[in-house]
Amino acid sequence: MKNLSISLLFLFISSFANGQSIKKLDKITKDANEAKAAFLETDPHLQTLFESSHGYVIFPNIGKGGLGVGGATGNGVVWEKGQLVGYAKMTQLTLGFQAGGQGYSEVIFFQNKEAFDRFTSNKIEFGAEVSAVAIKPQASVGAKYLNGVLVFTQSKGGLMYEASLGGQKFSYTAK
């Protein structure tokens, strides 16, 4: 009887946790779709990249802060050839002159299957050699992929002063 009670309790807890994680993934997906609409509102030319890239990931809500040492984190949604295929987490660590906090969205386009596969196999990290383009009208016109990757960011608010070095690390989980 005791084992049955423990099993039922475990089933209840795991069902509740699974329901919570499904709600969280649904929220991240909704936020990613809203972030995509905001990117396109700012620069409608991005539609060409959304249609022509092999895949992309949208991090709708990245929080960043620092005072000397800084960090950022956010969850995202991954699409391949227009189909939702998984989820991602981004973490960032920076060192240098920095103070404040900000929120932003980030979209990363993958030019080809090789670049996409590097990302989904958790073999992609961004350092100083990859720079993000702050989105503004027509920012995507003439933008070039670097090693099969193209990154755009859009500020959501906050104030951050920064002259620092760091990098972003990603982890991917299939749907």
Side-chain angles (χ1 to χ4, degrees):
M1 185 67 162
K2 185 176 178 182
N3 287 340
L4 178 61
S5 297
I6 292 172
S7 296
L8 288 174
L9 180 62
F10 178 75
L11 181 63
F12 173 76
I13 291 171
S14 58
S15 295
F16 178 76
N18 189 39
Q20 290 297 313
S21 62
I22 289 171
K23 286 181 183 178
K24 181 180 178 182
L25 294 177
D26 287 346
K27 170 122 176 62
I28 294 167
T29 303
K30 178 181 176 279
D31 290 350
N33 286 318
E34 290 173 1
K36 180 179 179 180
F39 275 108
L40 288 169
E41 183 177 323
T42 303
D43 183 358
H45 294 94
L46 281 174
Q47 185 65 40
T48 302
L49 290 170
F50 280 111
E51 292 170 357
S52 66
S53 66
H54 181 82
Y56 56 91
V57 57
I58 298 175
F59 295 95
N61 300 303
I62 296 175
K64 180 178 183 178
L67 184 61
V69 174
T73 188
N75 294 303
V77 182
V78 181
W79 285 268
E80 181 178 21
K81 296 183 179 181
Q83 299 296 311
L84 192 155
V85 295
Y87 301 91
K89 182 166 184 71
M90 184 281 295
T91 54
Q92 177 179 339
L93 177 66
T94 53
L95 299 170
F97 176 77
Q98 55 194 318
Q102 71 179 137
Y104 64 97
S105 299
E106 181 171 289
V107 60
I108 304 169
F109 293 100
F110 304 101
Q111 183 177 25
N112 50 45
K113 183 168 177 28
E114 293 76 24
F116 185 81
D117 288 348
R118 281 195 320 269
F119 180 83
T120 58
S121 62
N122 297 316
K123 293 180 180 173
I124 213 167
E125 293 181 17
F126 294 162
E129 73 281 357
V130 174
S131 61
V133 176
I135 199 70
K136 58 186 179 189
Q138 298 192 14
S140 63
V141 176
K144 304 280 187 230
Y145 285 94
L146 179 62
N147 296 322
V149 176
L150 183 56
V151 183
F152 292 94
T153 63
Q154 183 159 327
S155 178
K156 295 183 82 171
L159 186 59
M160 181 104 180
Y161 298 98
E162 183 173 26
S164 63
L165 292 175
Q168 293 182 339
K169 179 153 180 59
F170 304 93
S171 61
Y172 168 78
T173 305
K175 181 176 161 186

